[in-house]
Amino acid sequence: MKDAVESLIEKFDLEFTPEQRDFLRFLYENLHLEELSDKEQHFFIDYFYKSETLRNMAAFALELADIMREIYKLIPAIEQAERFTNGKEQRLYNEQKWQVARRQKLSRQTIKKGNILYVPFDEYKKEAGPIIICLEQTTGMAAYSELCKSIILPLFMSAHRERRDLYIVPYDCQIHVHYRFENGHLNLSDFKGFIEYKAKGEAAILPVLHFVKGLLQENQHCTEADIIIFTEGTPIDGQHLVGKQAKAVLEEMKRKYHAEFSVIAMHEHNFNEQQFWFANKAFFADDAIQ
């Protein structure tokens, strides 16, 4: 019996190698291509057929799957329950954990005056916040661009499963463009822009952090945002991250929006732990690059 990808390839009468079929199958599952119209699916498959960059990204992502699992195993802070391989168990666990956290927060914020309890139910109704990817796109990161983008691909599935907006913000010394994928749903125009985006020059981290704060302000109905920063590890303004102004901004983002920061640095020896003091987790791509 043919699977969805085989039927799709046959439908649009294109020739793919077995390896390319595996790449397309990975993208089909992680990007939820089944939600696209026939016209959009045809566009995507044609783009995949012509784009060496997208095929390389899918290949990287498949190769990295085992490495990423090993990286998570080495992080003590991650609970065993959060490493379930079964998607349904993972989802049920996350939903239960989220509900418990919301009830605890609701209890803490409830105020009693006399015999009246003031319960902030509007806070309880808030949804999980966005996943915001800050992707350094500079001269120094050019060699790692496809690698970084391949790591981002599975996050579409996470955002879709958790019904969270996914933002991708390429940056150098400033922000030129950003892409929003509502609830993790694929927008072909923005996806193509993300794949093909290239920049040059050096990286400054403060402008992208201020931009992220603006995105969080736009999503005030949400809470618990995840911000993932891809970096070579040496932003030209990194020393300012330990200054009072930057610390105040970052602490406000953590406090007000319950933002969690993760940093994915290309090389561990370039990573300045003091400058990235606000990161809850740090990953290093050295093994994958080798």
Side-chain angles (χ1 to χ4, degrees):
M1 184 176 177
K2 293 176 185 159
D3 64 16
V5 172
E6 292 296 332
S7 299
L8 206 56
I9 291 172
E10 186 178 277
K11 183 177 182 180
F12 295 119
D13 194 28
L14 292 170
E15 291 293 328
F16 289 103
T17 66
E19 189 178 50
Q20 289 172 338
R21 288 168 189 260
D22 288 340
F23 298 161
L24 186 58
R25 190 168 285 105
F26 170 84
L27 295 174
Y28 187 93
E29 293 172 356
N30 281 270
L31 302 178
H32 292 276
L33 299 184
E34 77 279 358
E35 295 182 343
L36 301 178
S37 67
D38 283 356
K39 184 178 180 180
E40 289 172 326
Q41 287 182 358
H42 197 178
F43 175 90
F44 185 91
I45 289 182
D46 185 61
Y47 180 59
F48 172 81
Y49 189 75
K50 295 174 181 177
S51 174
E52 183 180 0
T53 299
L54 182 54
R55 293 195 302 275
N56 288 342
M57 283 171 53
F60 265 134
L62 282 171
E63 289 178 11
L64 286 171
D66 290 337
I67 294 174
M68 293 306 292
R69 278 193 288 269
E70 288 303 312
I71 289 174
Y72 277 103
K73 285 179 184 177
L74 295 174
I75 302 173
I78 296 180
E79 299 174 45
Q80 181 67 29
E82 291 182 307
R83 297 201 296 264
F84 288 152
T85 56
N86 183 290
K88 184 177 180 181
E89 287 181 345
Q90 176 71 71
R91 183 171 63 255
L92 291 173
Y93 170 76
N94 285 340
E95 288 175 357
Q96 183 182 25
K97 185 177 178 183
W98 171 243
Q99 290 294 338
V100 169
R102 291 169 78 188
R103 286 196 295 270
Q104 290 175 343
K105 182 181 177 183
L106 191 67
S107 177
R108 289 195 304 270
Q109 294 180 339
T110 298
I111 299 172
K112 185 176 182 179
K113 291 185 178 180
N115 62 344
I116 299 175
L117 289 175
Y118 293 87
V119 185
F121 285 110
D122 58 322
E123 290 291 327
Y124 187 80
K125 293 178 181 177
K126 286 187 177 183
E127 302 172 356
I131 301 172
I132 303 175
I133 312 298
C134 303
L135 178 62
E136 182 182 324
Q137 294 280 263
T138 58
T139 302
M141 283 284 282
Y144 316 123
S145 181
E146 289 181 1
L147 172 71
C148 293
K149 290 176 181 178
S150 71
I151 295 173
I152 292 171
L153 288 177
L155 293 174
F156 280 85
M157 177 177 278
S158 298
H160 187 281
R161 182 177 61 241
E162 298 169 13
R163 298 186 294 278
R164 303 172 69 182
D165 287 351
L166 175 66
Y167 289 89
I168 300 175
V169 186
Y171 71 96
D172 44 42
C173 59
Q174 56 183 315
I175 313 302
H176 304 280
V177 67
H178 77 282
Y179 309 104
R180 176 177 177 246
F181 301 91
E182 186 176 0
N183 292 334
H185 293 293
L186 197 63
N187 174 310
L188 290 179
S189 176
D190 282 354
F191 183 76
K192 186 171 182 287
F194 155 60
I195 299 297
E196 298 178 356
Y197 187 88
K198 294 179 181 178
K200 58 184 179 180
E202 296 180 293
I205 195 74
L206 290 180
V208 75
L209 291 175
H210 283 290
F211 187 83
V212 166
K213 182 182 177 184
L215 292 179
L216 294 177
Q217 289 172 334
E218 292 175 10
N219 288 268
Q220 288 193 22
H221 63 288
C222 297
T223 185
E224 297 197 7
D226 286 299
I227 296 103
I228 304 173
I229 301 171
F230 286 80
T231 177
E232 191 183 11
T234 54
I236 58 175
D237 59 349
Q239 72 276 14
H240 297 303
L241 289 171
V242 296
K244 288 183 179 180
Q245 186 175 1
K247 279 192 171 184
V249 170
L250 288 159
E251 285 170 353
E252 181 189 2
M253 290 163 72
K254 283 173 166 280
R255 182 183 68 257
K256 189 173 182 180
Y257 303 105
H258 305 279
E260 272 214 6
F261 291 86
S262 299
V263 175
I264 300 179
M266 296 304 100
H267 297 285
E268 187 172 0
H269 63 79
N270 282 346
F271 182 71
N272 188 316
E273 186 176 341
Q274 289 182 326
Q275 291 180 358
F276 288 94
W277 59 271
F278 56 91
N280 300 87
K281 301 169 189 170
F283 304 87
F284 306 103
D286 300 67
D287 291 338
I289 293 169
Q290 293 169 5

